[in-house]
Amino acid sequence: MPKIQVDGMHCEHCKNAVEKAVSAIPGVKNASVNLDRKELEYEEEDKNMPIALDIVMGAIRDLGYTPHVAP
């Protein structure tokens, strides 16, 4: 599953907002945030048609957070 570091999250509301926004992207099967690590993992519905990372990162930026590709 792709992973993205998300700076600026600090509470359950932040976690829920990011999960909801990423889950709403067509082609995303599910999204899960680990708040302690400030990391988002998401699963694509079709592994043969990956979702552009820019789309996912844009949805996170629209919420006011700063996404980075996780190492």
Side-chain angles (χ1 to χ4, degrees):
M1 286 196 290
K3 292 182 182 180
I4 298 174
Q5 290 293 132
V6 183
D7 294 340
M9 294 189 301
H10 60 274
C11 66
E12 200 65 27
H13 172 75
C14 300
K15 173 188 181 297
N16 293 336
V18 170
E19 289 176 343
K20 183 177 178 182
V22 174
S23 292
I25 297 170
V28 173
K29 186 174 182 178
N30 64 39
S32 177
V33 169
N34 181 313
L35 196 53
D36 292 332
R37 292 192 320 242
K38 306 215 182 311
E39 188 174 83
L40 163 76
E41 287 185 329
Y42 63 95
E43 185 177 359
E44 297 158 328
E45 290 177 359
D46 185 349
K47 303 290 183 206
N48 295 320
M49 295 183 67
I51 298 163
L53 193 56
D54 289 348
I55 293 172
V56 177
M57 293 178 88
I60 296 167
R61 276 190 208 98
D62 287 348
L63 296 172
Y65 304 110
T66 305
H68 306 279
V69 176

